[in-house]
Amino acid sequence: MEKISQSVIKKDHDPKISGRSIYVCDYPSEGVLCGKILHAKVAKAKVLGVKVPELPEGYFYVDARDIPGDNNVNIVLDDMPIYCRETVEYIGEAIAMICGPDEKVVDKLLATCQVEYEELEPVIDLRKATEAFFNYDFAHGDLEKAFAEADKIYDEEFTTGYQEQAYLETQSMMAEPEESGRMFVHGSMQCAYYVKGAVMRALGCGPSGVHIYQDVTGGGFGGKEAFPSILACQVAVAARKCGKTVRCVFDRREDMEYTSKRHPSICRYKVAVKDGLVTAMDIDVIYNAGAYSTLSAVVLQRGLIAGPGIYKVPNLHVHGRALKTNTSPCGAYRGFGAPQTYFAVEMVMDHIARDLGIDSLEFKQANFAKQGDVTSTSGRYHFPIPIPDMIEEIDQLCHYRQKRLEYSKPQTGRYRRGIGMSMYFHGAGFTGSGERDIIKAVAKLRKYADGTVEVLASNGEIGQGVRTTFPKIVAHELNLPLEKVYYNHPDTARVPDSGPTVASRSLMIVGELLRRAAIKLRTQWIDGEEQEVEEHFREPTFMIPFYIDKFQGDAYPTYAWAVNVLELEVDTYTGITKVLGAYGNFDVGTPIDYNIVMGQMEGGFLQGIGYASIENMDYDAKGRIRNNSFSDYLIPTTKDVPNLQCILHVDKYPEGPYGAKGAGEVPLVGGPPAYLDAMEQALGGVNLYHAPFSIEDTMKVIMKEGI
Amino acid sequence: MVDGFIANSLAEALEIRATQDVVPYAGGTDLMVVNRPGLTYLFIGKVPELKRVFVDEQYVHIGAAVTFTEAIHNPDVPTLMKEAISRIAAPAIRNAGTFGGNLGNGSAKADSVLIEFATDAKLRLVSAKGERIIDVDKFYLGRKKLDLAKDELIAEILLPSKGIENYAYTKVGGRNALAISRVSFAGVFASEEGKITNIAAAFGAVADTVLRYKDIEEMLLGKTIAEARELRQDYLQAYSERMVLTRGRVSAEYRKGVCMNLLGDFLTKFGI
């Protein structure tokens, strides 16, 4: 193992494990007002008025009229209001906030607020939705000709459900008006500068009128990419009105029902096959965006780019829409739109292989894209594709081929087994030229007179280890002990904008800036002096320019690759499915800390297995999510997948620090197709079309097929 | 903060129970889920008389304040009960949760209560005025409704000390740990001189209370295995007609299908 990969104790290990870390809800309550949101109770209505009870002294009612700036939260399209406008568009939309010193009194006041609605017809059913926030279309090759000449055409539809991030700490935010008039907003978040832009707009102030600090954050998984901007605006407006510090901490039910989740999807795949090769795919993708567009544009883009999977598809058409429904706006969740289309493409490939009577791995292998091939967006795979080697490695680990053959024989008895595989990439960093044109990351190092070095960047520690890995890189280049280099939680008043903590980018992009900055500092180092160095993002020169309007060019500079295998045993009496083994082989480039990376791989893989099986969430005909607690929305525990083994395949990325690539998201993406592939085998070779696949779904197949 | 009493003896506990409006608790694991304001609590988790496990001629006595972890490690507790309670939640909950609490919460999903139904267990209820022994199925009057007077406490569970060695048990939870039962089944079988003397089948988490149909069981009582095998279809049919299940976190159809599968498997296991 390279020196840089050797594991260290995480910098935030001690305070977190000992319980000394201060989260938003841990700050003392003296002088702090408790803010709670008045949520809409209907999916679509005109708000005619709110009868607010008489407020005791020191209590405040805050709504859209109190916004000094603009009632639009800065995300992508900026259509989401801070507090509702004339209408509410989903159950849970914020109408107002009540603030006051005593939480119980606030609760009581909230319960006695009467909202007068004029109910309007909501759009609840995704299949009936017509309003597209985003509508993308791209193609290459000659689709018509390929379908006309095909030996066989397959036409299948796949659906996936919500997935809730289920971070330990719920959405939490505080706003403190400072004496200077500046607003200080701090809380649980991934992207301090996103929050800053949003709050500036809400308060109608310039960059010096506000600063944002990321508190210790109890997990994000994407769920704290955009939503904290909304909550930050809400508390900032409230704090401005009250003239006091306002803190809003969501309870679990609010968080599960009203904050962003993974987009449910419907994907239709039409595939042409000739001589055992895929010659064309015509892909139609629908994502349920919810009531406001928030991050749906970028989520959908990533999903569409992953549309044909890792296969060479010479003739391709991809059409995708993010449709509006009157439900909670969906947003970012680890994987960011890719798990949905990978599920569809991997399943359709399995089904075609089954129909052709070929082993699905053989069929997939025959269709793999190779280095130099054209990507879905007419870019290039610039680097070797390690998937064939990774398959051999995982086969050695879990004897996939042997088991696949064994379980394909007719099975009898109560318990039936199956083994399934998925393979995929995850584009590292922002889609397209986002890093160059939008983010323009800047990172700094500040050396103090005593020889300690501080990393100045805006990437938040959310459990992924940046407070450790950033200093590790810098200490490595400066030849300093790790204790001499530190990285605090970002405060926008003191750190440059190195971009958001998203898209598996922090380590690969910002880590490389820091590596270069450290080299620069090394060459300029003067003992006993305070020094500062700065580095700016440079796009790699090999990139084919990307045009998002045409979906053309290199969507990503490089990719993290993965092969997942799941081995299952189904109890045909109950539908209970035991995971006998979960095996993941991940290429995230050089691990900058082996334990941290393995933690990411195991945790993400388990989330993927949950997404495939037990993580079931839906809304009813009124647009209401009913399973809003951890007893009704179950996520897997370690007892559900006791045998989970991950290995790393290292293909270095020359533009990443020491060859590191994006690692955050890739482990989650391939759970559903591997799980369903195994399930199909266990159930005697049926075709399945949706995830999550619950014990009830399993029983339905068992009863229908007479297994 | 919680207002409450701590009892150090059963007499003290019963005195408080008789004179105060209190919610008795031991482990507190169910109460922790929702803190209802304005209630007064009586902690009985350290009352020695409620912490005992012992065996006499007829029964295994399990004190209401015995925790699941204590019971799992106690050689006197029957295997069937151990199997069920070892599937409750996770170690932290099992370290605190008790038999009395599992009963007192009144849920048809309680994993230890299913075993009490399947084994015809009795409960010893005590008050300052005296005590009474009640069949567990009489104790449950409906969903969250118990035959427990305001001054009474659950003192003991009385499990039969013999005749529950042969059984079938399955819990279907939403996952492998920290999961409330979605369907649970316990069947107890006994025979003497080739004739069936007990064929109890109890279904948990599928209706307002644990279900058991003693009149259907009678179809097979006193029969030889061969005779019972002849009656298998009629017996299953009778259950299928009788069981009208509610939907919960899973559908009624799923529950029914699984119950019938597990019942059929129970018969098969004992040659029927």
Side-chain angles (χ1 to χ4, degrees), chain A residues 68-298:
Chain A
D70 181 7
N71 189 14
N72 293 294
V73 183
N74 204 70
I75 300 174
V76 176
L77 280 193
D78 309 344
D79 56 338
M80 172 110 192
I82 299 166
Y83 293 109
C84 76
R85 305 185 185 99
E86 301 78 47
T87 61
V88 287
E89 299 289 328
Y90 66 97
I91 291 178
E93 182 163 353
I95 296 171
M97 183 182 279
I98 290 186
C99 307
D102 186 338
E103 182 178 352
K104 282 186 191 132
V105 177
V106 171
D107 279 336
K108 214 168 183 181
L109 291 168
L110 210 56
T112 45
C113 278
Q114 286 181 338
V115 184
E116 207 184 324
Y117 299 106
E118 180 189 319
E119 287 203 45
L120 304 166
E121 191 62 40
V123 178
I124 301 296
D125 183 354
L126 179 59
R127 289 183 190 273
K128 290 184 185 144
T130 53
E131 187 184 340
F133 287 128
F134 307 100
N135 191 339
Y136 300 126
D137 202 285
F138 60 95
H140 60 72
D142 188 340
L143 205 71
E144 218 172 293
K145 186 162 173 274
F147 276 102
E149 291 174 357
D151 295 338
K152 207 152 181 187
I153 293 168
Y154 298 85
D155 189 349
E156 299 192 341
E157 188 183 278
F158 301 90
T159 58
T160 60
Y162 274 135
Q163 191 181 17
E164 155 65 30
Q165 293 88 354
Y167 29 62
L168 272 174
E169 183 199 24
T170 55
Q171 301 280 352
S172 309
M173 200 67 67
M174 279 172 97
E176 306 186 19
E178 292 177 330
E179 271 177 31
S180 62
R182 189 167 67 158
M183 185 63 74
F184 177 36
V185 178
H186 59 98
S188 188
M189 65 181 74
Q190 294 178 213
C191 313
Y193 271 94
Y194 280 2
V195 174
K196 184 175 182 188
V199 174
M200 276 163 58
R201 187 164 173 176
L203 298 182
C205 66
S208 59
V210 57
H211 70 118
I212 314 293
Y213 172 72
Q214 184 218 12
D215 280 306
V216 180
T217 295
F221 308 112
K224 289 171 186 165
E225 174 172 352
F227 197 86
S229 294
I230 302 164
L231 189 57
C233 290
Q234 289 163 343
V235 291
V237 168
R240 180 66 84 221
K241 175 169 187 176
C242 306
K244 283 195 160 174
T245 299
V246 173
R247 166 168 53 192
C248 182
V249 175
F250 272 30
D251 67 27
R252 184 61 64 180
R253 185 182 156 176
E254 276 180 301
D255 197 291
M256 282 195 150
E257 273 193 71
Y258 308 146
T259 74
S260 59
K261 284 163 273 295
R262 191 186 303 290
H263 293 68
S265 72
I266 304 171
C267 294
R268 186 169 168 191
Y269 273 64
K270 247 177 94 180
V271 182
V273 176
K274 190 170 173 62
D275 302 325
L277 292 176
V278 171
T279 53
M281 282 191 188
D282 190 359
I283 300 169
D284 188 69
V285 175
I286 293 171
Y287 283 178
N288 187 345
Y292 295 103
S293 67
T294 62
L295 287 167
S296 292
V298 265

Side-chain angles (χ1 to χ4, degrees), chain A residues 573-574 632 635 640 696, chain B residues 175-176 249 251 254 261 265:
Chain A
Y573 290 178
T574 60
D632 286 320
I635 59 173
D640 294 291
E696 280 205 73
Chain B
R175 61 184 166 202
N176 290 343
R249 291 179 171 104
S251 70
Y254 171 80
N261 284 345
D265 182 54

